[in-house]
Amino acid sequence: QKEVEQNSGPLSVPEGAIASLNCTYSDRVSQSFFWYRQYSGKSPELIMSIYSNGDKEDGRFTAQLNKASQYVSLLIRDSQPSDSATYLCAVKPAGGTSYGKLTFGQGTILTVHP
Amino acid sequence: DGGITQSPKYLFRKEGQNVTLSCEQNLNHDAMYWYRQDPGQGLRLIYYSQIVNDFQKGDIAEGYSVSREKKESFPLTVTSAQKNPTAFYLCASSPWEHDYEQFFGPGTRLTVL
């Protein structure tokens, strides 16, 4: 089993719809969870972080975390063509030796069509 | 402008050659990282450094080497021992207190001919 697994893509949604991106992780003691966005041929950029169970909203983006189910998701409301990118889920394990050691999922390609 | 620069953007290497990828940051970040990305895959950590003159192996360090002689610079050498070096290489940095908030450079695409 992969340590961090994302729903297989590509995911295609119409403009204005809600895009739902999912991620599961295997290390039960993981504490911190992140979503990075990567445009084609470019480098990733951090767009959301979440540490506690529940929802965290930032503009059109909502991150959801369920530690009991080892599940984190990203919802994008009112999707725009500019949201078309690869979304990477990243997990930071707990513990003092985990400094900087993010584990990334394989990414989900999102396409928002007009 | 503050940021991370990587050079070159594209690099072609013959089998058996060592190559060095440059990474420089002027964000005054303590920590720096090297990742490798293959098509359809996420990022895999090669090496990371928390402070000058210190670095640790990541998940896929075999066939790679690094140095951290200056805070601003963290070059990566891809040696001939790396069996499948063709990939997109990304350098990142983060402040000490927020190691998860990693800022990435534009990347170097290495192709072995």
Side-chain angles (χ1 to χ4, degrees), chain B residues 17-75:
Chain B
Q17 287 182 335
N18 293 353
V19 291
T20 298
L21 282 57
S22 169
C23 177
E24 304 276 336
Q25 56 98 0
N26 61 5
L27 300 167
N28 199 34
H29 285 169
D30 295 288
M32 297 186 74
Y33 315 82
W34 274 105
Y35 290 92
R36 167 181 174 142
Q37 187 174 35
D38 294 284
Q41 297 191 33
L43 280 61
R44 291 184 290 169
L45 183 65
I46 304 173
Y47 268 98
Y48 65 104
S49 168
Q50 299 177 39
I51 56 173
V52 174
N53 292 323
D54 186 50
F55 48 83
Q56 287 77 40
K57 294 181 178 179
D59 300 319
I60 56 166
E62 185 175 352
Y64 300 97
S65 66
V66 294
S67 63
R68 186 86 188 277
E69 298 176 0
K70 298 187 301 182
K71 186 176 183 178
E72 302 79 17
S73 178
F74 191 40

Side-chain angles (χ1 to χ4, degrees), chain A:
Chain A
Q1 181 187 3
K2 293 181 180 178
E3 292 184 53
V4 179
E5 194 152 2
Q6 298 184 234
N7 53 329
S8 58
L11 177 65
S12 182
V13 300
E15 185 174 356
I18 296 175
S20 178
L21 304 163
N22 304 316
C23 175
T24 57
Y25 59 95
S26 60
D27 187 351
R28 183 170 292 277
V29 300
S30 296
Q31 295 293 318
S32 310
F33 308 87
F34 311 94
W35 285 98
Y36 280 78
R37 178 176 61 199
Q38 185 177 24
Y39 291 113
S40 180
K42 303 296 184 182
S43 55
E45 58 176 325
L46 178 66
I47 57 171
M48 286 288 285
S49 59
I50 187 166
Y51 310 102
S52 304
N53 280 329
D55 295 358
K56 179 181 178 182
E57 189 174 314
D58 184 1
R60 296 186 296 111
F61 297 96
T62 299
Q64 299 176 317
L65 175 61
N66 184 326
K67 289 186 178 180
S69 300
Q70 295 175 236
Y71 176 94
V72 58
S73 65
L74 179 70
L75 301 178
I76 306 175
R77 292 184 302 281
D78 188 25
S79 295
Q80 301 297 309
S82 59
D83 295 325
S84 298
T86 297
Y87 289 81
L88 298 164
C89 174
V91 176
K92 185 176 187 302
T97 61
S98 68
Y99 184 91
K101 297 185 73 174
L102 297 178
T103 299
F104 286 84
Q106 77 275 24
T108 299
I109 298 172
L110 171 66
T111 301
V112 181
H113 53 87

Side-chain angles (χ1 to χ4, degrees), chain B residues 4 18 36 43 55 58 61-63 79-80 83 85 88 99 104 111:
Chain B
I4 302 176
N18 293 353
R36 167 181 174 142
L43 280 61
F55 48 83
E62 185 175 352
T79 75
S80 57
K83 299 303 180 187
F88 188 43
D99 59 308
F104 287 83
T111 302

Side-chain angles (χ1 to χ4, degrees), chain B residues 11-19 79-80 85 110-113:
Chain B
L11 184 58
F12 298 90
R13 187 194 95 172
K14 293 182 179 179
E15 283 192 22
Q17 287 182 335
N18 293 353
V19 291
T79 75
S80 57
L110 173 64
T111 302
V112 175
L113 304 174

